[in-house]
Amino acid sequence: MMPVTLAASHVASLTPTEMSISVSDLTNAERAVALYASDMPNDCRSQRGDRDRLEFWIVQGATRMGLEFLYRTAALHSGYRLCWLNKSLSAEQKRAEAERFPNKARIDLAGQMAANSILHFRPNAEALARKQVAFDGGCPKCEGTGEVWGLWVIDVEAEWYEEGYRSCWVCRDDEPPTTVEFMAVAA
């Protein structure tokens, strides 16, 4: 389901003095989802002096969606992006993301504009602490167990390897393995 569908363009009802949400209170993913739901034009490009209109669109989208729905949608979008980066997207994730954001070009643009907003509005400690990741149908790497089986490199020079479980680097915030530490994962 798409976060918000606009049937027609309309004049926004918010004015900067009525904003109750601060852009600094939102993570980058939350900003991207809010921009997708806002009146931001599909052909918008970053320009000098965009700060005020970018702030307006982010607050407009966040207000339009409501914070709880925004947080949940952004967490799912973050999970999708994380799995996309790890080349571990499930069919369910692809379907759900396409349903949530049918206009792929718009969500990509919203992500770029949200990244640009970091230059003007640094996320506060509360937003950084809230950084969430959720998955449609559970984590595709560990299938929700939180652990993956693998052959782990302990010391390359000594050719010391260990086999066993470690925390899933996709859905856990534990220390992710570096490319040197991680060799292979068996299903």
Side-chain angles (χ1 to χ4, degrees):
M1 173 180 219
M2 186 171 141
V4 176
T5 303
L6 298 176
S9 295
H10 62 279
V11 176
S13 59
L14 290 174
T15 61
T17 57
E18 295 174 349
M19 293 182 208
S20 60
I21 299 168
S22 169
V23 176
S24 296
D25 293 339
L26 302 175
T27 65
N28 193 54
E30 293 161 358
R31 294 174 191 198
V33 172
L35 282 166
Y36 186 90
S38 75
D39 289 341
M40 176 186 73
N42 286 335
D43 60 352
C44 181
R45 296 291 172 251
S46 289
Q47 299 171 3
R48 261 197 162 141
D50 272 354
R51 184 183 196 277
D52 291 340
R53 73 180 184 149
L54 190 58
E55 178 181 24
F56 179 82
W57 287 328
I58 292 170
V59 171
Q60 180 190 52
T63 303
R64 189 174 281 170
M65 291 183 71
L67 289 179
E68 291 305 313
F69 187 52
L70 175 68
Y71 295 159
R72 177 70 182 150
T73 305
L76 289 166
H77 182 60
S78 293
Y80 173 87
R81 298 286 298 157
L82 187 60
C83 289
W84 177 81
L85 288 170
N86 282 292
K87 295 180 172 66
S88 59
L89 282 172
S90 67
E92 184 174 354
Q93 284 176 305
K94 290 177 185 176
R95 180 200 52 75
E97 185 77 357
E99 194 174 290
R100 265 191 298 280
F101 305 109
N103 187 339
K104 179 156 176 24
R106 183 171 175 81
I107 191 61
D108 290 346
L109 173 62
Q112 292 169 6
M113 297 297 281
N116 291 343
S117 76
I118 298 295
L119 299 170
H120 304 293
F121 309 99
R122 295 186 57 95
N124 61 28
E126 182 182 316
L128 294 174
R130 188 181 55 252
K131 190 171 125 184
Q132 300 172 345
V133 176
F135 303 96
D136 294 292
C139 176
K141 192 58 97 174
C142 69
E143 297 176 350
T145 64
E147 296 180 321
V148 291
W149 181 268
L151 179 62
W152 310 98
V153 178
I154 307 301
D155 186 344
V156 175
E157 293 176 10
E159 295 184 13
W160 177 16
Y161 308 99
E162 288 189 4
E163 214 173 329
Y165 286 102
R166 276 215 175 155
S167 287
C168 177
W169 62 91
V170 174
C171 65
R172 299 282 185 212
D173 278 341
D174 303 348
E175 298 174 30
T178 64
T179 53
V180 174
E181 289 179 313
F182 176 71
M183 262 186 81
V185 174

